[in-house]
Amino acid sequence: MPKPYSVITEEIKNALKGKVGEERAREIKRLLKEIHWDVGDYKRLKDKLRRELAEIEKVEQARKASRSRTKTKKSTPQFCVIGAVNSGKSTLINDLAGTKIAVELYPFTTTEPQYGALEYDSISFQLVEIPAIYDGCWNGDKSTLGMIYSTDCLIIIGRTLEDFELVLKELADQNIDLIGERIPDGFTQTIPRKIPAFIVFDKNTEILPSSHLRKIATDNLEEIKQNMIKLVRPVRIYTMNTFNEIEEQPIVFYKDQVTVKEAIQKVYRGKEELFKDAVILEGGPNGRRKRVGIAYELSDKDVIHLTFHK
Ligand SMILES: Nc1nc2c(ncn2[C@@H]2O[C@H](COP(=O)(O)OP(=O)(O)OP(=O)(O)O)[C@@H](O)[C@H]2O)c(=O)[nH]1
Ligand SMILES: [Mg+2]
């Protein structure tokens, strides 16, 4: 005897509540198996679920492809630059990354994602231009939405108040929460999706959007770069070699609470068993000198000198 239709719809609603991405897809698959009747109202219900499943799978594929296509290391923070048509997305990436993405007076110049790379303050960033956002742009093709869902951070650019209102509304409609900096765990996917973001505006924009996000003028490139660092909050650890020279390239973490042990695991895999002691210079070469244990919690820009048992 089939369960009453109203009971099933209620069960589906509860089962899918708050779930997005792969988790939602798994749940839909389970529900499809559980509903045995495939006629009448039940068939319509299952068809609706099948359509949603197909859509999620498309978004997930785009998400994975956006990372593998550019062979970017998982540890490189990715910033998607998003905005309405002609908002200056390509211009901004060109200015920041020295790329030559086509810039034109007419709208929809960029129809495919464009990539740029930027190195600043010992951190490598990947910049991605997402084709322009317009009213209802994700009703059909969701591939750019997949890229936004999976990115680490967003730069929202606009030239008018309407530009910003449009983009912020489209993001909110997709259950995307914008936050001022990364969460303690780094860039973990959360539900609803929380993405660190800031706003870049043309200095001639008269009214700025009401938003809790930081707002920076397009021509202030230095501040934009500094803000990219602020958003990802890196913990950069500089190691000192046996000649007491500080290595130029730090070990970088994008999470809070990094221990000496984790730093060792990242560069001297397996050597944590041989740990003898560590001396750190707090916050840089001129910082306070401290002898610490393997469980010590490091901070950004600490310099560390490690000694191991032979
Ligand atoms: N006034 C002003 N014009 C700008 C600014 N940035 C870009 N432009 C001009 O705006 C036009 C569009 O710039 P693009 O960088 O191509 O904008 P886009 O957002 O990439 O455009 P699409 O890819 O077509 O969506 C060009 O004519 C730029 O020269 C800005 O900050 N202020
Ligand atoms: Mg463009």
Side-chain angles (χ1 to χ4, degrees):
M1 183 60 190
K3 269 190 215 171
Y5 181 74
S6 59
V7 173
I8 292 192
T9 48
E10 194 58 28
E11 278 179 6
I12 292 176
K13 221 171 84 192
N14 289 333
L16 297 181
K17 206 171 175 177
K19 297 201 172 77
V20 295
E22 280 175 336
E23 193 188 3
R24 192 173 179 94
R26 264 198 306 280
E27 199 60 34
I28 293 178
K29 280 185 198 155
R30 187 186 68 74
L31 288 164
L32 282 169
K33 258 190 223 150
E34 221 166 66
I35 309 167
H36 297 294
W37 313 279
D38 212 345
V39 287
D41 278 347
Y42 296 103
K43 178 166 172 12
R44 269 188 288 281
L45 198 59
K46 285 183 87 168
D47 283 345
K48 204 173 136 208
L49 287 173
R50 287 187 194 110
R51 274 196 302 276
E52 195 184 336
L53 181 62
E55 229 164 53
I56 295 173
E57 284 176 342
K58 221 164 113 193
V59 168
E60 288 301 315
Q61 264 169 16
R63 188 168 87 77
K64 286 181 186 138
S66 91
R67 285 305 169 97
S68 54
R69 184 160 54 218
T70 55
K71 295 198 176 65
T72 305
K73 270 204 268 171
K74 219 179 164 331
S75 58
T76 303
Q78 185 191 65
F79 276 71
C80 280
V81 176
I82 61 171
V85 286
N86 260 339
S87 52
K89 301 179 290 296
S90 300
T91 306
L92 179 68
I93 295 184
N94 288 342
D95 287 350
L96 286 170
T99 38
K100 293 197 171 66
I101 304 171
V103 170
E104 300 289 353
L105 262 172
Y106 51 80
F108 295 108
T109 305
T110 312
T111 54
E112 287 290 319
Q114 301 291 322
Y115 297 86
L118 163 69
E119 179 97 18
Y120 183 77
D121 217 356
S122 299
I123 302 293
S124 309
F125 295 99
Q126 185 187 47
L127 289 161
V128 186
E129 175 177 358
I130 301 291
I133 290 176
Y134 52 91
D135 188 13
C137 60
W138 294 313
N139 291 342
D141 184 2
K142 289 198 166 44
S143 53
T144 58
L145 178 61
M147 296 188 70
I148 293 174
Y149 247 105
S150 68
T151 198
D152 299 321
C153 300
L154 290 173
I155 296 179
I156 302 167
I157 184 168
R159 306 244 299 267
T160 63
L161 181 63
E162 291 72 43
D163 275 4
F164 287 114
E165 282 176 342
L166 166 81
V167 173
L168 294 173
K169 180 183 177 295
E170 291 294 323
L171 293 176
D173 284 352
Q174 299 300 329
N175 215 6
I176 292 170
D177 275 357
L178 302 171
I179 53 175
E181 54 183 49
R182 70 160 171 77
I183 57 173
D185 295 342
F187 306 114
T188 318
Q189 303 264 320
T190 55
I191 301 168
R193 185 73 177 101
K194 286 185 174 29
I195 311 181
F198 65 94
I199 283 172
V200 170
F201 63 93
D202 183 345
K203 61 177 185 306
N204 298 318
T205 309
E206 273 162 24
I207 314 169
L208 290 182
S210 65
S211 161
H212 60 291
L213 300 174
R214 247 178 310 233
K215 305 172 186 89
I216 303 167
T218 34
D219 56 353
N220 203 338
L221 290 178
E222 190 62 22
E223 203 185 334
I224 293 175
K225 291 176 193 172
Q226 281 169 11
N227 216 49
M228 291 171 75
I229 297 273
K230 266 191 208 149
L231 245 62
V232 301
R233 264 198 296 139
V235 176
R236 286 159 286 192
I237 307 300
Y238 292 85
T239 51
M240 206 185 247
N241 63 25
T242 41
F243 307 106
N244 282 352
E245 292 160 350
I246 297 170
E247 301 287 350
E248 245 169 63
Q249 284 306 317
I251 316 166
V252 186
F253 294 88
Y254 298 100
K255 65 183 192 92
D256 298 355
Q257 298 179 339
V258 175
T259 59
V260 170
K261 188 172 177 185
E262 283 167 283
I264 297 174
Q265 282 166 341
K266 214 159 184 177
V267 276
Y268 308 103
R269 203 167 247 284
K271 242 179 143 177
E272 61 268 23
E273 316 274 285
L274 298 175
F275 173 81
K276 195 165 155 199
D277 72 13
V279 172
I280 66 155
L281 304 173
E282 259 182 325
N286 302 320
R288 194 153 61 100
R289 202 184 148 86
K290 238 161 87 170
R291 188 170 295 273
V292 300
I294 198 159
Y296 179 80
E297 235 175 68
L298 296 160
S299 305
D300 188 31
K301 298 202 171 165
D302 280 351
V303 175
I304 187 167
H305 185 273
L306 293 159
T307 319
F308 295 99
H309 291 289
K310 288 270 150 51

